[in-house]
Amino acid sequence: MSNIKKKLNSYIDEKNQIVCITCYDASFSKILDDLSIDIVLVGDSLGMVIKGETNTHNVTIEDILYHTSCVAKNKNNFILMADLPINSYKDPEIAYTNSKKLLDKKADIVKIEYKDNHAEIVKTLISKNIPVCAHIGLLPQYALSIQDIRIYGKDRDERDKLLQQAHSLEKLGANMILLECVNSELSKDITNSVKIPVIGIGSGEFCNGQVQVLYDLIGVSNNPPKFSKDFLKENGSIKKALKDFYNYVKSIKN
Ligand code: KIV
């Protein structure tokens, strides 16, 4: 078993909630490393919070490579996860080439927004020893209108589809699943029915961990989602705010 797989699975075995926060630069990466944050994600949310755009649609692999190399400068303990932005995984070969570039910048695992037609891509990456986190539920790269920004899995068809995707991903060998804006009862069922870690954002507390956008946690985002909470408001210090978020996630009991 690869080290990353062992490390990720140990969170489930030890009932240790995973704390994942996005990051885009070396200064914050030092803070997150010092705070023992488990996973640091170089997310394509940088399209909004760094580039000032309204969505993630223009983020390029070069953007993610650059920010991954900045974040990696202060990586000592955390798992470094890097997003595959839209257009960077058009087919298995392109996905592999770009994932390899991210691993060369010290990413430990890549994240892909998963649709059923991406199964071959996930299979290829896993077969070539690239650890994969599959992101399901709300997929910002494919969200074209405001109607796509909603909670997923409330009706039976969507619920069955998401459950089935989670099971297929486990079979394909994915190392982790990320649920975005998934109904919390469904998140619970998914988490309880797969053996790989499931982390959630806007998906309730029944996952194996929580992920948040750094700038939402410290009230710097212009348009934070409803489910995010500004932890800085009550703490007065960025480090204390992030530690408070860490303590909150670690205290979740499922
Ligand atoms: O890009 C990102 O920051 C993400 C999180 C919202 C999960 O994918």
Side-chain angles (χ1 to χ4, degrees):
M1 203 191 281
S2 72
N3 282 347
I4 186 83
K5 197 168 178 171
K6 260 192 227 151
K7 174 86 190 131
L8 287 171
N9 287 351
S10 73
Y11 287 100
I12 300 186
D13 299 340
E14 292 160 19
K15 288 192 177 301
N16 182 10
Q17 285 279 318
I18 299 170
V19 184
C20 175
I21 301 181
T22 68
C23 183
Y24 319 95
D25 67 62
S27 303
F28 272 111
S29 124
K30 168 92 173 73
I31 293 177
L32 299 182
D33 199 69
D34 289 348
L35 289 171
S36 305
I37 300 306
D38 301 306
I39 303 180
V40 168
L41 167 64
V42 181
D44 62 0
S45 50
L46 70 81
M48 286 87 82
V49 301
I50 303 288
K51 294 172 75 165
E53 294 176 353
T54 51
N55 55 45
T56 61
H57 301 175
N58 292 322
V59 176
T60 62
I61 188 68
E62 286 72 27
D63 292 330
I64 301 283
L65 284 165
Y66 170 71
H67 288 278
T68 300
S69 65
C70 299
V71 170
K73 293 259 166 54
N74 287 317
K75 162 179 157 57
N76 289 304
N77 299 309
F78 57 71
I79 293 172
L80 178 48
M81 178 152 77
D83 248 339
L84 281 170
I86 192 147
N87 296 327
S88 72
Y89 53 96
K90 282 186 172 156
D91 65 39
E93 209 40 55
I94 295 175
Y96 173 67
T97 306
N98 286 323
S99 300
K100 182 75 183 49
K101 286 184 189 166
L102 291 168
L103 263 57
D104 290 344
K105 297 283 183 207
K106 293 214 175 87
D108 298 297
I109 179 166
V110 301
K111 177 166 82 61
I112 179 171
E113 291 191 14
Y114 182 80
K115 288 171 161 242
D116 291 337
N117 61 340
H118 296 145
E120 210 43 49
I121 294 174
V122 172
K123 206 166 146 192
T124 302
L125 294 181
I126 298 295
S127 74
K128 292 178 184 273
N129 296 320
I130 307 276
V132 175
C133 170
H135 180 153
I136 58 175
L138 168 60
L139 302 181
Q141 292 175 9
Y142 303 98
L144 298 176
S145 72
I146 194 79
Q147 280 81 4
D148 294 326
I149 314 288
R150 59 180 175 82
I151 299 292
Y152 285 73
K154 280 186 182 165
D155 71 56
R156 200 181 170 98
D157 283 355
E158 208 164 73
R159 181 194 144 78
D160 290 351
K161 184 182 163 202
L162 283 164
L163 256 177
Q164 198 255 316
Q165 279 186 329
H167 293 153
S168 309
L169 282 161
E170 184 178 30
K171 276 208 196 98
L172 288 168
N175 302 87
M176 184 159 68
I177 292 175
L178 186 153
L179 304 178
E180 179 160 0
C181 293
V182 169
N183 168 271
S184 78
E185 278 306 305
L186 175 57
S187 295
K188 185 178 184 177
D189 290 346
I190 291 175
T191 304
N192 290 338
S193 67
V194 295
K195 291 195 179 69
I196 51 176
V198 177
I199 57 175
I201 176 163
S203 301
E205 291 189 342
F206 297 112
C207 304
N208 303 116
Q210 298 289 324
V211 48
Q212 283 288 332
V213 171
L214 171 65
Y215 292 178
D216 294 343
L217 293 174
I218 56 172
V220 176
S221 303
N222 287 322
N223 240 332
K226 274 198 217 113
F227 58 73
S228 74
K229 177 179 161 193
D230 175 356
F231 277 75
L232 185 60
K233 247 188 199 154
E234 291 153 27
N235 284 286
S237 133
I238 288 176
K239 284 184 189 170
K240 275 197 206 144
L242 297 176
K243 181 77 182 158
D244 205 25
F245 174 67
Y246 175 93
N247 289 337
Y248 154 66
V249 176
K250 291 290 180 192
S251 74
I252 296 174
K253 300 265 177 293
N254 289 327

